Amino acid sequence: RPNRINSAVTNGTTSENMIFYRDVVDGLKADMKHLQSKYFYDAMGDRLFQRIMKSSAYYLFNCELEIFSKRTADLASLILQQDGPFDLIELGPGDCTKSGYLLEYLVKANADFTYFPIDISASIIRYIETELPQRIPGIKITSLEGEYDDMLTKAAALSAHRKVILFLGSNLGNMTPKQSLTFSRKIRSHLHTGDLILIGLDLKKDPRIVLAAYNDKEGITRQFNLNLLKRINRELKANFDLSKFEHYPTYDPATGACKSYLVSLEDQVVSLIAGDNLEMISFKKGEPVYMELSHKYTIDEINRMAQQAGFSIAGFFYDSKGWFVDAFWRA
Ligand code: AVI
């Protein structure tokens, strides 16, 4: 997902490519080798994630879809408790499958609002700009393409009304609890008293169910992880042999940390190139590369985070199994 602001070309290498290179090399040279999960989402990664969401093991998507499709009126009424126009800002909207229910309901209810989708992917923004007005005639859209932080600042500057933020899909779970708190505080700093945020988070539950969601039988999640090595091969002229790494998901039910790793199946050396830079990285047989955290919470932990970030709790919406929650926090 290119950051368009930094795309000057030097030496046949764009600066965004250099950032990717530095992040990858720094991660693979660290004592605990790691890669950043934000890099999963190239075109193939997007497609694989779509397939994960459709897989039966990955319950998160269906749970939240149930909340948005069956509790639409209740979600909307919490937003409409306050009078006057508002701006609905969504972080990482995807194709609006879930939020689309709420948006359609609000438009039909003649609510006076503008929808601000924020995404780093140009293709997602383009998709929303063309498809959403057809699906929901009359919707007002101001799309913002870029990193959450920068675009939130921009949205806050553009917005003259009260704000409602949507941050769905357990996306916050891809940060550590500490980073999540920092990010929640950051969001709070862009809001005024009374503004709302709706956060979708996956809950702690039977550890076997959680683990299975990241270890689907079809092997899509495995491909999703390995695809990042493929991307590194293509974009950083590396020579990862994908058959020499295996997907290894773990879940610790005590902390709620669901972590995935790629484990090196033998002693091996991989090279990477960006511009004039060449790096050789060695892997020991059995050595893990930490790929992603998908953190799971209890309601108490979610409430504590809300309070520590300066929010009060305005409401909870669970799916019928009680596996997933969309929590409304009020600034
Ligand atoms: C995007 N994110 C919330 C997903 C998750 O559950 O952490 C990404 C994902 N990784 C493997 N499966 C899904």
Side-chain angles (χ1 to χ4, degrees):
R1 294 181 169 205
N3 177 345
R4 285 150 151 243
I5 299 157
N6 300 310
S7 54
V9 177
T10 40
N11 234 353
T13 309
T14 58
S15 53
E16 81 229 11
N17 195 244
M18 273 322 287
I19 294 169
F20 181 37
Y21 178 82
R22 275 271 57 95
D23 283 348
V24 168
V25 168
D26 289 351
L28 294 180
K29 284 180 136 183
D31 287 342
M32 172 73 246
K33 286 188 172 60
H34 60 272
L35 291 169
Q36 295 180 32
S37 59
K38 69 173 181 184
Y39 290 122
F40 281 158
Y41 303 91
D42 63 353
M44 178 54 91
D46 280 340
R47 279 202 291 279
L48 288 166
F49 186 51
Q50 292 289 334
R51 286 181 56 202
I52 288 174
M53 287 192 288
K54 288 194 185 119
S55 75
S56 53
Y58 193 72
Y59 59 84
L60 290 79
F61 178 78
N62 285 328
C63 289
E64 197 171 38
L65 187 63
E66 183 196 313
I67 296 170
F68 271 78
S69 60
K70 300 225 169 108
R71 306 289 307 279
T72 328
D74 299 323
L75 291 166
S77 84
L78 216 146
I79 294 171
L80 298 174
Q81 262 173 16
Q82 286 159 267
D83 293 331
F86 61 94
D87 291 320
L88 190 63
I89 302 166
E90 181 164 15
L91 307 178
D95 61 5
C96 301
T97 306
K98 289 174 278 191
S99 57
Y101 285 94
L102 180 63
L103 296 171
E104 190 175 357
Y105 187 98
L106 290 168
V107 168
K108 284 191 175 150
N110 283 319
D112 183 3
F113 75 102
T114 302
Y115 177 54
F116 288 78
I118 295 183
D119 208 286
I120 198 163
S121 157
S123 61
I124 283 182
I125 292 294
R126 227 173 301 121
Y127 176 87
I128 290 174
E129 283 173 346
T130 50
E131 293 297 315
L132 212 57
Q134 295 184 35
R135 227 161 89 196
I136 311 173
I139 189 162
K140 290 186 277 178
I141 306 173
T142 302
S143 48
L144 296 169
E145 183 190 331
E147 300 265 1
Y148 291 157
D149 228 12
D150 301 340
M151 293 306 115
L152 264 176
T153 309
K154 203 163 168 185
L158 286 172
S159 165
H161 308 301
R162 70 182 172 96
K163 288 185 268 305
V164 180
I165 295 189
L166 304 183
F167 194 29
L168 311 180
S170 197
N171 278 316
L172 193 68
N174 293 132
M175 300 177 204
T176 64
K178 201 169 157 213
Q179 290 165 339
S180 298
L181 177 59
T182 305
F183 188 68
S184 304
R185 285 183 171 143
K186 186 82 169 231
I187 291 179
R188 177 65 187 84
S189 73
H190 290 296
L191 301 180
H192 293 114
T193 308
D195 289 348
L196 287 169
I197 174 161
L198 181 62
I199 299 204
L201 284 171
D202 195 15
L203 296 169
K204 285 180 177 168
K205 61 183 69 64
D206 183 335
R208 288 163 298 188
I209 294 168
V210 174
L211 192 58
Y214 295 86
N215 202 20
D216 62 284
K217 291 211 175 65
E218 300 96 310
I220 312 166
T221 312
R222 173 180 171 276
Q223 276 185 64
F224 180 63
N225 275 269
L226 287 168
N227 181 60
L228 179 47
L229 301 189
K230 236 190 215 173
R231 179 179 185 181
I232 295 170
N233 280 350
R234 189 179 62 243
E235 294 184 24
L236 303 179
K237 300 186 188 73
N239 60 351
F240 277 104
D241 179 344
L242 273 57
S243 69
K244 293 183 181 165
F245 289 87
E246 196 43 74
H247 170 55
Y248 184 74
T250 67
Y251 177 57
D252 177 352
T255 61
C258 181
K259 294 181 178 176
S260 70
Y261 298 89
L262 286 177
V263 176
S264 175
L265 296 177
E266 53 186 69
D267 287 349
Q268 53 182 318
V269 177
V270 174
S271 62
L272 298 93
I273 303 169
D276 296 333
N277 306 309
L278 167 73
E279 289 286 351
M280 310 290 273
I281 312 275
S282 41
F283 297 81
K284 288 256 169 277
K285 181 176 180 176
E287 188 176 0
V289 181
Y290 174 31
M291 302 294 285
E292 186 183 40
L293 168 69
S294 302
H295 203 86
K296 313 302 172 192
Y297 289 91
T298 62
I299 287 294
D300 285 349
E301 288 164 343
I302 294 171
N303 287 346
R304 207 171 315 130
M305 174 156 57
Q307 273 144 16
Q308 288 175 352
F311 293 94
S312 62
I313 315 297
F316 292 113
F317 294 86
Y318 298 94
D319 65 292
S320 51
K321 294 196 193 85
W323 286 0
F324 196 94
V325 70
D326 279 297
F328 263 115
W329 298 351
R330 186 173 277 115

